[in-house]
Amino acid sequence: MSFQILLNVFLAFIWMFLKNDYGSSSFFIGYLLGLLIMLAYRRFFTSRFYLVRVWAVIKLLALFLKELVLSNISVLKHILSPTLNIKPGIFALKTELTKDWEITILANLITLTPGTLVVDVSLDRQTLYIHAMDIPEKHEAIDSIKNTFERAIMEVSR
Amino acid sequence: MKNDLILQTVTKVVVFIILLFSVSIFFGGHYSPGGGFVGGLLTAAAIVLLLLAYDIKTVAKLIPVDYKLVVATGLLISTLTVAGAMFFDVPMMTHAYQYFDIPILGHTSLHTAVLFDLGVYLVVVGVTMTIIQTIGEDE
């Protein structure tokens, strides 16, 4: 991934040297041409072509923004309702993610989404302990987290 | 036992942003709010964030600096900048500035007040970190 971006920047610089024009527009054209050449020769790389991963990051960002709006609306409903009928509690969530940054991003996404809050990470980094505003919704919460966030993060890091 | 995984991972990313911001505040002191004092405090804040996420021994390994020497260096730089005016038959604390055409940066103004500010910056970082480390090492 990083190697491919570095190669693309390198190709853009070579384009600038060939054209003898060192402005930002020339760099941009060189970058686009380098992208096309790399797209044609994408079978040479050991990992995926990096635009796929950039697209996955954009999708993760869009998912996060959507969930943020939804979570604030749901919390607003709880606050404005005359009777408070919630059952708080803490449950454990097994995660399949291994890298530090993946777990951190997953924990932050869970914290910023409806009625759930990461309290702690277990020492072996297998389990996240999550405080839920409404324990009866636990299974739905686990399912939604598994299906949306974990998959989106795996798309990025695969 | 506690797992500080999230705090440590976020710290690894955020410290660099704080340091870059502190440098920008330091150089912005002439035309915009900022300067040596605020820049020094921000740099110290970045190191304090490292101290919160890791422990004192780890941070001392990461940044092998004796902060008392940093204070001394800062005072020396500031004093020399102030005293340097005497060699040109002008009163002390007179600053000189000149426009230079530097190859990459282009038309740049270089001012000796930046050197004085660098001294202030180093003194603030040194004093803040000395205080915090002295308090933190008390077992």
Side-chain angles (χ1 to χ4, degrees):
Chain A
M1 161 95 177
S2 46
F3 167 75
Q4 291 179 31
I5 292 179
L6 201 64
L7 178 67
N8 205 335
V9 170
F10 181 68
L11 285 172
F13 270 106
I14 286 191
W15 177 258
M16 275 158 67
F17 288 133
L18 289 171
K19 287 278 140 196
N20 251 331
D21 169 20
Y22 303 106
S24 56
S25 64
S26 155
F27 179 86
F28 186 69
I29 293 168
Y31 197 89
L32 282 182
L33 289 170
L35 201 65
L36 283 175
I37 293 162
M38 285 169 66
L39 184 64
Y41 286 89
R42 66 185 178 280
R43 303 243 182 282
F44 281 168
F45 301 119
T46 46
S47 56
R48 288 178 304 162
F49 186 55
Y50 80 90
L51 270 195
V52 181
R53 203 176 289 200
V54 171
W55 179 241
V57 170
I58 291 169
K59 271 207 297 205
L60 184 64
L61 200 66
L63 176 77
F64 162 69
L65 288 173
K66 189 192 87 181
E67 291 286 341
L68 187 68
V69 173
L70 287 179
S71 81
N72 282 299
I73 289 170
S74 84
V75 171
L76 193 67
K77 274 183 197 158
H78 275 294
I79 293 168
L80 293 179
S81 66
T83 55
L84 198 64
N85 51 354
I86 55 171
K87 268 197 155 91
I90 292 178
F91 65 92
L93 173 83
K94 281 258 181 241
T95 177
E96 293 156 36
L97 302 172
T98 48
K99 296 196 187 87
D100 280 4
W101 65 269
E102 292 173 342
I103 296 170
T104 305
I105 287 178
L106 179 68
N108 288 332
L109 284 175
I110 291 170
T111 301
L112 288 161
T113 48
T116 46
L117 175 80
V118 173
V119 182
D120 204 359
V121 186
S122 66
L123 282 176
D124 57 357
R125 299 205 218 138
Q126 296 280 311
T127 318
L128 293 175
Y129 295 104
I130 299 171
H131 177 279
M133 210 163 58
D134 226 347
I135 275 291
E137 293 172 3
K138 180 184 100 167
H139 292 291
E140 295 170 40
I142 288 183
D143 282 345
S144 71
I145 289 169
K146 276 250 179 246
N147 290 330
T148 54
F149 295 147
E150 270 207 345
R151 197 183 298 166
I153 292 171
M154 276 179 182
E155 279 290 317
V156 175
S157 63
R158 195 181 44 181
Chain B
M1 281 295 278
K2 239 175 123 322
N3 195 348
D4 288 335
L5 172 92
I6 295 170
L7 177 65
Q8 286 176 359
T9 315
V10 172
T11 301
K12 276 176 202 163
V13 177
V14 167
V15 156
F16 295 106
I17 300 170
I18 298 177
L19 284 174
L20 194 65
F21 181 53
S22 80
V23 170
S24 123
I25 285 273
F26 172 77
F27 280 115
H30 203 66
Y31 297 109
S32 52
F37 189 80
V38 194
L41 277 181
L42 270 169
T43 306
I47 305 173
V48 168
L49 179 63
L50 277 176
L51 282 170
L52 287 175
Y54 298 91
D55 51 55
I56 285 189
K57 286 194 184 73
T58 317
V59 177
K61 255 193 215 122
L62 278 175
I63 310 165
V65 178
D66 183 2
Y67 290 105
K68 298 181 210 56
L69 286 179
V70 172
V71 176
T73 315
L75 284 173
L76 188 69
I77 291 174
S78 292
T79 317
L80 286 180
T81 311
V82 166
M86 291 164 66
F87 295 111
F88 300 99
D89 283 342
V90 283
M92 264 186 162
M93 291 200 179
T94 309
H95 285 295
Y97 64 92
Q98 187 69 52
Y99 286 97
F100 291 97
D101 282 327
I102 301 170
I104 295 171
L105 300 174
H107 196 62
T108 318
S109 149
L110 294 181
H111 200 297
T112 51
V114 174
L115 291 173
F116 185 80
D117 235 13
L118 182 70
V120 174
Y121 173 89
L122 289 175
V123 168
V124 169
V125 171
V127 167
T128 315
M129 291 318 298
T130 309
I131 291 171
I132 286 168
Q133 283 199 329
T134 315
I135 295 171
E137 275 165 353
D138 277 347
E139 288 297 333

